[in-house]
């Protein structure tokens, strides 16, 4: 706990008795403040993927934190996970990946208990967290670690055929985090050496594993495959018994027939697979060509001259005089608290609204340091004064780039190839079909389409969201 001293005053300013009293008051104040510390758990907190968890934190000695500042953050003080100040929660400046997922539990605030609840735990939540508490000039902090774990599927045991005079048995499982421990056991619980073991990490960060074992007749025919999460200290196990009739009896004709059947079925399977791949590719090409033809056919119909509505702009957003450009500043402007103005998300609407017809406009994006952006449309009735869901459920249809991820704002978000993140986006709104399409204005390649009927039949307006140092410009 750090203390800003206020006792550095010359002794000559006080008579001796007054100086003694003043010195004793400062000393007692320092002694009491020195006892105020922020305490968290010494061991890591373990959370299960997709569930919720609570990060403990409290003051010692016990005192009310209702009027203190409580800030939970990770590597950067300003970019916080959760902020409680002046008796309420603050969300302006909250890290985007935690928006709508955090809650400061206030039941124990008067006793100095300030735990943080995190919902829908993700793998990226793993790491160090700082619990920071400030009361006037006094503050303290503690560091705690969050570990994320996931229990995968029950082991699937399959018999794959004969090998080396025995039977090859394979055990597979997926959905584990961190990398699990895999063991074969016999009936008495002794560990059996595996023939091979492969563990790989999927795009979602979860691990899948495959291990194989050769079972010899009259030896270890009753066995089990056990997969263990060492963080949760939990495991899943499946067992199998290989009957004597499954073991090979040498017969050259049967071996030859088996080889022929395997080759035949393999050829048939490969042929079917190739036809499926070709059919899928043809469908994707046709879909892309249709979207390009749709874009070209609708482009001449109405090129919307979109300008930005200053009455809806968040106080951190700065609009140009021609209302074609917008950027975000750290300083909050002193603007009227209009019911039309966004005050939780750094958003702004276009002045124009559409209820029928087909309309297109283009937005040029400039990515700033620690920045991000999103471009699309919103319904006229989208909420302005509280947290909103950046998805069609919240009245927003858009694509955007932040935290190194280019994605469509569906629910949940749909990842898009980062290599396809354009510098100029064409937004195409078809009010009659209830459809929004985003196109790379550079090569006319479709980026993403919200399907027909997904946009309601009410007034729809252009919508922009600016994060960090990014800049957006409506092209003439």
């Amino acid at each position: 706990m750090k203390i800003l001293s206020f006792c550095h005053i010359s002794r000559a300013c006080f008579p001796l008795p007054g100086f003694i009293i003043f010195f004793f008051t400062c000393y007692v104040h320092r002694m009491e403040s020195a006892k105020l510390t922020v305490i968290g758990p010494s061991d890591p907190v373990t959370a299960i993927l997709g569930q919720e968890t609570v990060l403990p934190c409290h003051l010692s000695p016990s005192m009310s934190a209702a009027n203190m500042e409580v800030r939970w953050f990770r590597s950067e003080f300003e970019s916080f996970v959760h902020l409680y100040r002046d008796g309420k929660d603050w969300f302006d400046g909250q890290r985007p990946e935690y928006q709508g997922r955090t809650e400061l539990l206030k039941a124990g605030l008067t006793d100095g208990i300030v735990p943080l609840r995190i919902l829908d735990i993700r793998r990226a939540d793993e790491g160090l967290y700082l619990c920071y508490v400030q009361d006037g000039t006094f503050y303290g902090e503690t560091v705690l670690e969050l570990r994320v774990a996931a229990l995968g599927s029950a082991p699937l045991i399959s018999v794959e055929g004969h090998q080396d005079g025995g039977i090859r048995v394979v055990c597979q499982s997926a959905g584990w985090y961190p990398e699990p421990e895999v063991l074969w056991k016999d009936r008495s619980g002794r560990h059996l050496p595996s023939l091979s073991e492969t563990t790989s990490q999927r795009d979602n960060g979860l691990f899948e594993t495959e291990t194989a074992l050769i079972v010899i007749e009259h030896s270890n025919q009753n066995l089990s495959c056990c997969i263990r999460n060492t963080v949760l200290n939990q495991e899943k196990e499946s067992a199998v018994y290989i009957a004597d009739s499954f073991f090979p009896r040498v017969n050259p004709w049967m071996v030859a027939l088996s080889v022929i059947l395997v080759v035949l079925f393999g050829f048939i399977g490969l042929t079917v697979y190739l036809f499926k791949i070709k059919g899928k590719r043809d469908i994707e090409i046709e879909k892309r060509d249709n979207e390009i033809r749709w874009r070209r056919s609708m482009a001449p119909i109405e090129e919307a001259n979109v300008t930005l509505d200053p009455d809806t702009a968040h106080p951190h957003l700065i609009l140009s005089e021609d209302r074609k450009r917008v950027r975000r500043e750290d300083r909050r402007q002193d603007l009227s608290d209009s019911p039309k103005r966004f005050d939780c998300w750094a958003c702004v609407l276009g002045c124009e609204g559409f209820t029928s017809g087909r309309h297109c406009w283009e937005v040029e994006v400039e990515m700033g340091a620690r920045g991000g952006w999103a471009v699309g449309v919103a319904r006229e009735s989208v909420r302005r004064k509280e947290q909103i869901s950046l998805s069609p459920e919240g009245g927003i249809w858009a694509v955007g780039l932040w935290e190194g991820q280019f994605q469509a704002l569906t629910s949940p978000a749909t990842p898009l190839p980062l290599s396809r993140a354009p510098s100029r986006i064409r937004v195409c709104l078809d009010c009659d079909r209830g459809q929004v399409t985003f196109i790379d204005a550079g090569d006319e390649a479709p980026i993403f389409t919200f399907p027909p009927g997904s946009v309601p039949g009410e007034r729809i307006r252009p919508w922009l969201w600016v994060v960090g140092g990014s800049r957006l410009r409506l092209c003439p």
Side-chain angles (χ1 to χ4, degrees), residues 31 247 405:
M31 291 298 293
F247 288 91
Q405 177 66 60

Side-chain angles (χ1 to χ4, degrees), residues 10-152:
S10 172
R11 179 177 176 177
C13 297
F14 297 94
L16 182 58
F19 176 80
I20 293 174
I21 294 173
F22 182 76
F23 178 81
F24 180 76
T25 301
C26 292
Y27 178 77
V28 171
H29 182 74
R30 286 175 178 265
M31 291 298 293
E32 291 179 349
S33 300
K35 297 178 182 177
L36 175 60
T37 55
V38 181
I39 299 176
S42 56
D43 296 327
V45 177
T46 300
I48 297 179
L49 195 70
Q51 299 185 15
E52 65 177 58
T53 194
V54 174
L55 302 181
C57 182
H58 68 276
L59 302 179
S60 179
S62 176
M63 65 184 67
S64 176
N67 296 318
M68 299 183 186
E69 175 180 325
V70 180
R71 182 185 297 259
W72 283 87
F73 63 98
R74 298 189 70 174
S75 58
E76 298 178 8
F77 184 82
E78 293 298 331
S79 180
F80 54 82
V81 175
H82 195 94
L83 175 61
Y84 171 86
R85 186 171 60 196
D86 300 330
K88 63 180 181 179
D89 297 304
W90 294 78
F91 298 100
D92 189 23
Q94 185 181 31
R95 292 175 61 139
E97 66 268 29
Y98 289 96
Q99 289 170 357
R101 296 174 51 228
T102 63
E103 177 188 4
L104 185 74
L105 301 182
K106 302 179 179 63
L109 266 180
T110 55
D111 296 322
I113 302 173
V114 291
L116 178 70
R117 174 186 287 159
I118 304 178
L119 306 176
D120 186 21
I121 289 295
R122 305 170 183 173
R123 193 176 60 86
D125 296 337
E126 189 170 63
L128 298 180
Y129 288 75
L130 285 86
C131 176
Y132 171 94
V133 182
Q134 181 175 353
D135 182 17
T137 57
F138 308 105
Y139 67 91
E141 61 185 28
T142 186
V143 179
L144 58 155
E145 180 182 0
L146 175 63
R147 290 182 182 174
V148 176
L151 279 176

Side-chain angles (χ1 to χ4, degrees), residues 295-327:
R295 182 259 185 207
R296 288 175 175 169
S297 66
M298 72 171 286
I301 293 179
E302 182 171 343
E303 294 286 343
N305 183 21
V306 176
T307 57
L308 300 176
D309 184 355
D311 292 337
T312 66
H314 187 278
H316 278 290
L317 296 183
I318 307 296
L319 306 186
S320 62
E321 291 186 4
D322 61 0
R323 299 180 183 176
K324 289 284 190 178
R325 297 176 176 84
V326 59
R327 72 178 191 276

